[in-house]
Amino acid sequence: MSLEKNNVLKEIIKKVNDEWTEEDSQNRDNLFKKYGELFQLENIDSLTKQKFKQFWADAVFHWGGGGRQNAGNITKGELWEISKKNLKIIVDESKTLSDRIKQLRNTSNQGNFIQSGTYSIILHMVNPQKHPTINDLTLHVLDELKLSSKKERQTDEFIWVPKLENVILKLCDENNIDTWKIDWVWQEISKEFTTKKHLDKLSEIISKFRKNRESIAAGWTLGENSDNEKTRKEFVTKYSLDNIKKLTLENYVEGKINSSGEKTRNNFCSELSDLEPYGRLGGPDGQYAWGIYIEKESQKYHIALDTNLRKQIFAKKSNEEVYSIIQENIIEIIQYGQVSNFDKLSEKNIMDNRFKTKILAVYFPNEHLMIHAKTELEKIAVPFGLFTKKEIKKKSSIEIQQSLLKFKESKENLKDLNNLEYSHILWYYSHGDEKDVKVIELQKDTVTQTRFQSFIDENKEKQIRKYKKVLDQSKGQIIF
């Protein structure tokens, strides 16, 4: 094992030991108290399907859902009685583990349904001092740490499983950690390695982008003289804070059809939506973001009652009253944005989060990202190690955006990017495959602007179809 990975292991073990709480101990003790005798040899005959399945359901907090899935497979129909016979084989501590595995895998016993990851957990419940867990997570981390390898596991199972048990027991002994806590160590190390792989992928995309930054980012720049900046400033001037305070419902709302049968674009919602470089509010429910809009067929105002909070606040109110509430919220968003009050901006209100962050991206592009759907932000921030899946559910879109911006400032290869460039690169990272990022790989010194435009034209329809599908699924997102 390399010195670097050995250090990672020691650091994570220390972290798990230091952060271990009384609640963690209580959860472990409760599981053993409830199920500690369940898999003892003398109790297997009386073991029921229901009790077996309930164990895996209760143990999800520690081992995840993999064992639960295998438990469902081995309790089907007549297979359950065969499985119980095989459980008696594997938990018989009077025999060596090698002999038990040999017997389990004997074709006459039909024990192939019980995976090593399943029986190692059962053995851990029988004797935690003697049997650590060896499941897919364990194998993945041990391979990364060079303490095991797929090649070694090409030998017979009755050889490599006991061998790995000894490796883990020795590691636990040397680092003063028990076989229950070591599972948490594997989880933390797996996250570390996974994060590194994701950051390596991001670095590769950044590198490709930089090779042709000027050509590729022509539409992404926030420069003073760029078309994006001119259009943005025109919008912000037209819809200044003072003007929004005087803005009428008619000049706010989207959906009105003109004499030519087309939607009028001369309104706040449509013009904000048209600023696509700053993020797009797509999907079939895009109009709900505005809170109130004009229905296409009836050409009547429609109040969006798509959340419980809106149903509560908008109930029995007129169109003008609803718009007045929306108008006040827009004013507050801009005012809080002016003073960078991210705590207030993170508070839940009747405004659609995508709408809120789009306003902020347009009015304050240097302080906000151009990615607005929370699901998309989650798909970026979690792999980067900024939050766990559990933690991020409690975070607002604003909080996730600000974490991603702090992350940008902490990386030398990201610091000089403007937020528009950064947002697009994050979008490529989240959604792009090799074909999608071909455009980033085009070299300015070898590709003429004509050829560059030709590439765009050839792929335009395909990209539009692909991203429209993605946008519809994600309820709105950036598009290049």
Side-chain angles (χ1 to χ4, degrees):
M1 182 168 58
S2 70
L3 181 62
E4 180 184 354
K5 291 188 174 180
N6 184 53
N7 288 337
V8 169
L9 177 61
K10 289 184 179 299
E11 286 172 9
I12 297 297
I13 288 175
K14 184 178 185 303
K15 177 185 176 185
V16 169
N17 275 327
D18 290 348
E19 295 180 359
W20 194 258
T21 66
E22 184 60 36
E23 183 182 359
D24 293 327
S25 294
Q26 192 65 50
N27 289 336
R28 175 197 59 200
D29 295 346
N30 287 342
L31 191 72
F32 275 93
K33 183 178 180 180
K34 186 174 181 179
Y35 297 106
E37 300 297 316
L38 188 69
F39 298 113
Q40 298 297 327
L41 180 60
E42 63 272 19
N43 297 327
I44 297 296
D45 284 334
S46 59
L47 181 61
T48 65
K49 288 183 185 181
Q50 291 72 24
K51 195 73 172 175
F52 187 69
K53 289 179 178 179
Q54 188 59 47
F55 162 73
W56 294 104
D58 289 348
V60 162
F61 78 94
H62 185 73
W63 286 297
R68 190 177 185 180
Q69 184 177 1
N70 189 228
N73 294 332
I74 66 180
T75 56
K76 290 179 180 177
E78 296 179 358
L79 190 59
W80 174 235
E81 290 305 317
I82 297 171
S83 297
K84 288 209 303 185
K85 291 178 181 178
N86 284 308
L87 287 176
K88 290 174 74 173
I89 291 172
I90 204 68
V91 301
D92 186 357
E93 294 279 78
S94 67
K95 299 176 181 177
T96 66
L97 182 55
S98 292
D99 287 342
R100 284 179 266 169
I101 296 172
K102 284 181 188 178
Q103 191 177 351
L104 179 70
R105 296 303 183 221
N106 187 310
T107 53
S108 63
N109 289 320
Q110 298 178 270
N112 287 331
F113 290 99
I114 303 179
Q115 299 171 359
S116 60
T118 300
Y119 71 64
S120 79
I121 291 173
I122 291 170
L123 286 171
H124 182 79
M125 294 300 296
V126 171
N127 191 337
Q129 287 75 36
K130 186 177 177 181
H131 300 294
T133 302
I134 302 176
N135 55 15
D136 288 343
L137 173 65
T138 313
L139 297 176
H140 165 68
V141 174
L142 291 177
D143 286 353
E144 290 283 354
L145 293 172
K146 306 302 181 187
L147 292 171
S148 177
S149 69
K150 290 182 180 179
K151 184 177 180 180
E152 288 179 358
R153 295 195 294 279
Q154 289 174 357
T155 59
D156 290 316
E157 186 180 345
F158 65 83
I159 295 174
W160 67 260
V161 170
K163 182 179 177 181
L164 273 188
E165 273 201 345
N166 290 329
V167 168
I168 297 169
L169 289 171
K170 182 182 177 184
L171 190 150
C172 288
D173 185 57
E174 291 174 347
N175 291 277
N176 192 31
I177 192 166
D178 61 47
T179 57
W180 175 271
K181 287 183 184 177
I182 201 70
D183 291 334
W184 293 74
V185 172
W186 304 147
Q187 291 178 39
E188 290 297 321
I189 292 177
S190 178
K191 283 190 282 188
E192 290 271 343
F193 290 148
T194 301
T195 296
K196 183 179 183 304
K197 288 177 181 177
H198 285 289
L199 295 182
D200 287 346
K201 175 184 172 183
L202 178 66
S203 294
E204 183 181 353
I205 291 174
I206 294 168
S207 177
K208 290 174 181 177
F209 163 74
R210 288 187 183 282
K211 289 178 182 177
N212 194 34
R213 185 176 184 178
E214 291 183 23
S215 295
I216 295 303
W220 303 359
T221 180
L222 289 174
E224 195 68 27
N225 297 317
S226 70
D227 290 339
N228 285 334
E229 184 63 5
K230 289 176 183 176
T231 307
R232 186 193 72 80
K233 281 187 173 180
E234 287 172 4
F235 177 88
V236 171
T237 300
K238 180 177 180 179
Y239 296 106
S240 65
L241 198 55
D242 287 339
N243 288 340
I244 287 176
K245 290 176 182 178
K246 297 178 285 186
L247 190 66
T248 64
L249 171 59
E250 184 178 4
N251 290 326
Y252 165 80
V253 78
E254 180 187 58
K256 187 176 181 180
I257 304 296
N258 61 25
S259 57
S260 302
E262 298 176 342
K263 276 186 181 181
T264 57
R265 309 302 299 175
N266 188 25
N267 56 75
F268 180 88
C269 292
S270 295
E271 290 182 56
L272 181 70
S273 182
D274 288 343
L275 290 166
E276 288 189 353
Y278 298 88
R280 181 174 173 180
L281 302 174
D285 65 343
Q287 287 181 309
Y288 288 143
W290 317 130
I292 186 170
Y293 61 92
I294 295 177
E295 284 187 315
K296 182 178 179 181
E297 301 300 328
S298 67
Q299 283 293 284
K300 292 181 178 179
Y301 287 112
H302 179 82
I303 298 170
L305 301 175
D306 53 322
T307 67
N308 290 331
L309 188 59
R310 282 183 173 181
K311 288 175 185 176
Q312 179 183 340
I313 294 176
F314 291 166
K316 298 181 180 180
K317 286 186 170 56
S318 67
N319 296 328
E320 288 290 347
E321 288 172 327
V322 166
Y323 170 61
S324 179
I325 296 170
I326 293 170
Q327 186 181 31
E328 288 174 9
N329 275 268
I330 294 173
I331 291 167
E332 279 190 353
I333 289 170
I334 297 172
Q335 287 175 332
Y336 289 140
Q338 287 175 331
V339 294
S340 302
N341 191 333
F342 301 119
D343 289 338
K344 282 293 184 181
L345 289 170
S346 294
E347 290 179 1
K348 191 173 182 180
N349 56 27
I350 55 98
M351 302 304 290
D352 182 282
N353 275 323
R354 297 166 296 159
F355 186 30
K356 182 193 294 186
T357 55
K358 175 68 180 275
I359 290 172
L360 291 167
V362 169
Y363 281 82
F364 313 103
N366 294 319
E367 294 190 15
H368 296 272
L369 290 180
M370 289 71 187
I371 300 175
H372 308 305
K374 189 185 176 189
T375 51
E376 297 300 330
L377 292 166
E378 289 175 358
K379 281 159 58 176
I380 298 165
V382 171
F384 287 0
L386 302 182
F387 302 100
T388 64
K389 289 182 179 179
K390 185 177 180 180
E391 288 170 342
I392 206 164
K393 295 301 178 186
K394 299 177 182 179
K395 300 295 180 181
S396 69
S397 296
I398 299 292
E399 289 172 309
I400 302 171
Q401 277 199 12
Q402 291 307 307
S403 292
L404 284 166
L405 286 167
K406 287 178 183 176
F407 171 81
K408 170 179 171 286
E409 292 305 311
S410 72
K411 301 296 179 184
E412 289 299 324
N413 61 346
L414 290 173
K415 275 185 178 180
D416 66 313
L417 299 178
N418 64 54
N419 287 351
L420 198 52
E421 291 173 325
Y422 181 46
S423 296
H424 279 268
I425 283 175
L426 292 179
W427 174 255
Y428 274 121
Y429 157 81
S430 180
H431 287 278
D433 54 28
E434 284 304 308
K435 291 180 181 177
D436 295 325
V437 298
K438 263 187 184 178
V439 66
I440 292 181
E441 296 177 284
L442 293 176
Q443 299 290 324
K444 186 180 178 185
D445 55 354
T446 60
V447 181
T448 64
Q449 184 62 35
T450 302
R451 186 177 161 200
F452 176 83
Q453 189 59 50
S454 175
F455 177 90
I456 296 295
D457 292 340
E458 288 171 10
N459 288 272
K460 186 181 294 181
E461 289 304 317
K462 178 182 175 183
Q463 292 293 334
I464 287 173
R465 287 194 302 272
K466 176 175 179 179
Y467 282 103
K468 185 178 185 302
K469 182 179 179 182
V470 173
L471 288 164
D472 286 348
Q473 291 173 343
S474 66
K475 297 183 180 179
Q477 189 50 50
I478 198 165
I479 190 169
F480 75 91

